[in-house]
Amino acid sequence: MFGKRASFGGNTQPAPSRPAPPPEAAEPEYARSQPAGASLEAPRPGRTEEAEVAEPSGRDKNYFQTKSSIFSALIDSIDLSQLAAMDQDSAREEIRDIVAEIIALKNFVMSISEQEDLLDDICNDVLGYGPLEPLLARDDIADIMINGSQRCYIEVSGRVKLTNVRFRDDAHLMNVCQRIVSQVGRRVDESSPICDARLPDGSRVNVIAPPLSIDGPTLTIRKFKKDKLTLPQLVKFGSISPDGAEVLRVLGRVRANVLISGGTGSGKTTLLNCLTAFIDKDERVITCEDSAELQLQQPHVVRLETRPPNLEGEGEVTMRELVRNCLRMRPERIIVGEVRGPEAFDLLQAMNTGHDGSMGTLHANSPREALSRLESMITMGGFALPSRTIREMIVSSIDVIVQAARLRDGSRRITHISEVLGMEGDVIVTQDVFLYDIMGEDANGALLGRHRSTGITKPQFTEKARYFNEEIALVEALERANVEQHELMR
């Protein structure tokens, strides 16, 4: 089918840049409702990390030379256009047959297991993302961090570990990076060494190449779970109490303006996805993100994504431009993946002008710091407004701040559910509804703690809950939490 050549010998040059994978090889786009909190789930049964981490790689230069020779012969022997027209399974079988024939003709001496490993590696290079494929297939990995061609780390259950995955050289790693970013119409090279992209399943990708990255290309992937992470699962993992989860459900349902705050890797986007699961199906929702990763399940969703400038420095579309354009698209809710600049002003304006239920995330270590950062971002955007005016705008826009945190043992917890009450003088007044207290740690170093109610039975957003017939559910959840708190204090 591919017009194999009669002779495979002689060509031992490094493999050329690999073609883009055929459309059939791409992983289907999942309707996701969680991203960054993937490591909340325990590793899958039957998988032992010892087999993949902290072991020295047995693949030396001879292995890579053999693989390069076979790969070059394979490229000379197949018709890539016909390969792209096949489905992934058929293409993989065809490649395996040709590679097995090349191995026999070149008289390479290797065991059956070595030959199987080589076949898998070459199939992954041609059809997928090379050495990354085994890591991308694992659903218990939250992050993949590649520091040059010879060092690859993963995060599993909140712990960062070294793997034995490595690339042939920096050029091999750059080829994989180019393949990833080209799928979303972007490029990375010396003239454009920083690039944000995403995988077909929405996983977040960042590439920084030499000369900015001194020790070789650096690739960071924030993986998303294939199965949606839901609020009940967060309860199961201990990220929030059942009563706290009921309060979050009500907040998502009653169109409260929610700001989700937290540090890097604390699960902000996961939590945002969980809250958006309770949006009514007939609401028009528009999302604005730097890299599209939200997994809304509603049928009436418009997804927008920023665009970086081209090589001439033109054509950039910023987050603020997307948010401003949203207002002309008749949205009922606006969801901003991450607020990090002057778009904060436009989001607050939208919350104030009939777009109740809008949400966003930002980086901050506490609810109070989140409010301060909002004010700072508006000020840095060049808005010549008095501080009091900005704070009044924040108070009239934000209803609740939900704080997520990644603790030192790697676990994710929702540490605050705080509502914004108003102003006293020039100070914004907030009130905690739920808090997380750390009680200690067990013999394995895992932190022990509990979520507790602060005793508030009718927070300020109870009025919105009444309008949506959710007041009874909200009050009952808070009363149960208060009763439990009193019993624990006895």
Side-chain angles (χ1 to χ4, degrees):
M1 177 178 181
F2 293 111
K4 301 174 190 176
R5 298 185 179 180
S7 173
F8 297 104
N11 188 357
T12 59
Q13 296 300 316
S17 297
R18 289 180 291 281
E24 292 81 359
E27 190 174 358
E29 186 157 339
Y30 295 90
R32 298 162 284 112
S33 73
Q34 86 294 341
S39 63
L40 288 169
E41 181 174 343
R44 289 179 294 176
R47 296 299 300 255
T48 57
E49 295 169 13
E50 290 77 4
E52 296 187 20
V53 300
E55 291 291 336
S57 174
R59 297 177 178 177
D60 53 15
K61 292 183 179 180
N62 291 332
Y63 173 86
F64 288 111
Q65 289 174 354
T66 301
K67 178 182 171 183
S68 177
S69 176
I70 295 174
F71 192 96
S72 298
L74 172 68
I75 295 300
D76 288 340
S77 308
I78 62 176
D79 185 338
L80 295 177
S81 61
Q82 294 187 32
L83 183 69
M86 301 174 66
D87 63 81
Q88 187 174 15
D89 291 338
S90 299
R92 185 173 287 267
E93 285 303 317
E94 190 69 27
I95 290 173
R96 290 176 67 91
D97 291 342
I98 298 175
V99 171
E101 183 179 343
I102 294 173
I103 291 175
L105 290 175
K106 284 182 171 288
N107 295 321
F108 287 115
V109 178
M110 59 182 65
S111 66
I112 295 178
S113 62
E114 290 173 337
Q115 182 171 330
E116 284 297 317
D117 288 342
L118 184 63
L119 288 171
D120 287 340
D121 282 354
I122 291 178
C123 287
N124 289 336
D125 279 344
V126 176
L127 301 175
Y129 302 121
L132 292 179
E133 285 293 324
L135 301 181
L136 294 173
R138 287 180 54 179
D139 208 26
D140 61 320
I141 295 178
D143 289 273
I144 301 172
M145 297 154 281
I146 299 172
N147 306 340
S149 61
Q150 305 301 309
R151 306 284 286 181
C152 175
Y153 294 85
I154 60 174
E155 180 191 316
V156 179
S157 299
R159 304 284 186 175
V160 176
K161 301 177 181 180
L162 177 66
T163 74
N164 61 2
V165 172
R166 35 179 257 198
F167 294 78
R168 181 178 66 249
D169 49 31
D170 287 348
H172 185 197
L173 176 55
M174 278 301 297
N175 281 339
V176 173
C177 294
Q178 287 282 14
R179 170 173 293 182
I180 292 174
V181 303
S182 65
Q183 289 184 319
V184 291
R186 299 182 181 180
R187 61 194 296 269
V188 58
D189 50 31
E190 287 189 4
S191 61
S192 179
I194 299 177
C195 182
D196 289 316
R198 66 179 186 277
L199 295 178
D201 67 348
S203 297
R204 187 187 313 164
V205 177
N206 175 267
V207 181
I208 182 164
L212 300 187
S213 180
I214 298 174
D215 299 321
T218 299
L219 173 65
T220 307
I221 301 176
R222 171 68 54 83
K223 281 182 79 264
F224 289 171
K225 292 172 61 62
K226 296 180 176 65
D227 298 323
K228 302 183 297 292
L229 198 61
T230 62
L231 208 53
Q233 288 177 304
L234 295 186
V235 174
K236 177 182 176 183
F237 299 140
S239 296
I240 186 64
S241 67
D243 296 322
E246 179 66 10
V247 172
L248 292 178
R249 183 196 70 80
V250 172
L251 288 173
R253 170 78 177 82
V254 304
R255 302 191 65 166
N257 294 326
V258 179
L259 191 64
I260 298 175
S261 167
T264 300
S266 60
K268 299 186 298 297
T269 311
T270 298
L271 185 53
L272 180 58
N273 274 311
C274 291
L275 292 182
T276 58
F278 305 106
I279 297 176
D280 288 341
K281 296 186 182 298
D282 59 349
E283 293 186 43
R284 177 174 170 85
V285 183
I286 300 180
T287 68
C288 303
E289 304 171 81
D290 285 316
S291 185
E293 52 189 341
L294 292 173
Q295 303 170 312
L296 274 67
Q297 305 301 303
Q298 289 70 24
H300 200 167
V301 175
V302 179
R303 305 169 70 204
L304 304 180
E305 186 177 60
T306 60
R307 185 176 69 184
N310 57 22
L311 289 178
E312 289 76 28
E314 300 175 347
E316 180 181 15
V317 179
T318 65
M319 181 67 76
R320 187 180 182 200
E321 291 173 307
L322 289 185
V323 175
R324 294 176 68 180
N325 188 76
C326 281
L327 302 178
R328 306 183 184 98
M329 299 174 65
R330 199 217 170 267
E332 291 183 281
R333 299 203 196 206
I334 297 175
I335 311 294
V336 179
E338 183 172 343
V339 182
R340 57 161 63 106
E343 67 272 8
F345 179 82
D346 298 281
L347 179 61
L348 294 181
Q349 289 283 75
M351 291 177 172
N352 257 327
T353 55
H355 302 94
D356 291 339
S358 296
M359 303 179 188
T361 72
L362 61 73
H363 284 265
N365 295 321
S366 69
R368 175 63 59 182
E369 184 179 327
L371 296 174
S372 177
R373 282 214 65 212
L374 265 184
E375 184 179 347
S376 299
M377 286 186 285
I378 293 174
T379 303
M380 289 188 295
F383 299 99
L385 298 173
S387 294
R388 182 176 178 84
T389 302
I390 296 176
R391 291 171 188 170
E392 288 175 347
M393 183 187 305
I394 293 174
V395 167
S396 61
S397 303
I398 304 295
D399 294 316
V400 175
I401 300 174
V402 181
Q403 181 72 31
R406 176 181 173 183
L407 306 183
R408 58 183 172 86
D409 64 347
S411 61
R412 272 85 166 175
R413 296 290 183 266
I414 296 172
T415 59
H416 296 75
I417 300 178
S418 304
E419 62 173 343
V420 179
L421 296 180
M423 297 275 294
E424 283 188 4
D426 290 335
V427 179
I428 299 177
V429 179
T430 62
Q431 175 177 261
D432 296 328
V433 179
F434 270 89
L435 295 173
Y436 180 76
D437 294 329
I438 297 176
M439 314 298 292
E441 62 180 67
D442 61 16
N444 297 321
L447 294 179
L448 303 176
R450 60 182 175 86
H451 290 89
R452 65 177 177 88
S453 168
T454 58
I456 305 298
T457 57
K458 284 196 175 184
Q460 191 164 287
F461 54 85
T462 303
E463 291 296 325
K464 287 193 174 185
R466 181 180 300 118
Y467 180 74
F468 284 88
N469 296 320
E470 294 284 354
E471 181 183 12
I472 295 176
L474 174 63
V475 172
E476 287 180 350
L478 292 173
E479 288 179 348
R480 285 195 304 268
N482 290 334
V483 170
E484 182 180 349
Q485 177 68 17
H486 289 313
E487 290 178 352
L488 289 174
M489 293 177 62
R490 290 180 179 176

